[in-house]
Amino acid sequence: MDQATKAYLRDKDNNNLLVASDWSIIQNKPGNIATTDQLPKLSNWQRDGITYENGAYDWDHVNNGYNCAYRVADMGSFKIIELRLDFGVNQDIVNEVECIKLPDAIKPDGDEEITISTDIRGVMVHLKPDLTVGVYCQQFGQGDKYTANAMISVHHVYFTTL
């Protein structure tokens, strides 16, 4: 490329300037801009504080106990929670069964309704403000149920200010 097609920035003394790579030399910059080393990072998958109730269990066939886990992106004034729940219950589900208790660290601001469906039945998974996860099987006919030891799989992302 010849000299005529290049563009240069020059300072007041007519010296060529290179693109700034050091943020500290920029003058009149806004004070509230994050640099790359200040951006939030997503945590590793965690299962601390997850407990199972009423015959629920982690669907532990692949991930060595991390089928029910969460990770957090802390944005300062709020958090983004990614929740993965792959679990079973050792009983048929007809009425709501509280299956999992989650840790306070990922408490949602309010109810989080998650609906999944299986064949003709709807299965509602209810993440409640008290950190319990309840499962309910919608009944259309007599004897409708969600069969014991069938996998329930939920992947949910939500925000919390707590």
Side-chain angles (χ1 to χ4, degrees):
M1 193 183 280
D2 65 36
Q3 195 70 1
T5 58
K6 292 183 179 178
Y8 291 95
L9 293 174
R10 298 183 187 270
D11 66 13
K12 64 181 179 172
D13 297 324
N14 207 25
N15 296 315
N16 289 340
L17 296 175
L18 300 176
V19 176
S21 59
D22 182 356
W23 185 246
S24 66
I25 68 171
I26 304 297
Q27 295 178 5
N28 300 321
K29 64 182 178 248
N32 62 347
I33 295 179
T35 59
T36 54
D37 61 335
Q38 297 170 321
L39 296 174
K41 293 178 178 46
L42 192 59
S43 72
N44 292 326
W45 286 105
Q46 303 170 60
R47 56 186 175 181
D48 298 341
I50 295 177
T51 58
Y52 302 93
E53 301 174 338
N54 299 315
Y57 56 91
D58 187 307
W59 197 264
D60 189 22
H61 299 299
V62 179
N63 292 321
N64 298 320
Y66 280 90
N67 287 308
C68 290
Y70 59 91
R71 55 188 183 170
V72 179
D74 191 340
M75 309 300 281
S77 62
F78 67 95
K79 296 177 187 174
I80 302 171
I81 309 298
E82 182 178 11
L83 180 63
R84 177 178 64 210
L85 300 174
D86 292 324
F87 64 100
V89 182
N90 67 5
Q91 61 180 292
D92 292 344
I93 298 174
V94 178
N95 297 317
E96 185 168 3
V97 175
E98 291 186 351
C99 297
I100 297 173
K101 183 80 170 169
L102 299 172
D104 286 335
I106 62 170
K107 184 174 183 169
D109 289 344
D111 284 357
E112 293 285 331
E113 294 290 341
I114 307 156
T115 303
I116 59 175
S117 63
T118 58
D119 299 332
I120 61 169
R121 289 185 298 277
V123 176
M124 277 55 82
V125 179
H126 187 194
L127 173 54
K128 302 173 188 178
D130 69 355
L131 296 166
T132 57
V133 176
V135 177
Y136 175 82
C137 178
Q138 189 176 26
Q139 296 179 352
F140 294 112
Q142 180 134 0
D144 278 351
K145 62 186 176 187
Y146 194 72
T147 306
N149 299 310
M151 185 174 75
I152 300 167
S153 181
V154 172
H155 182 244
H156 188 60
V157 176
Y158 60 94
F159 299 93
T160 182
T161 57
L162 302 175

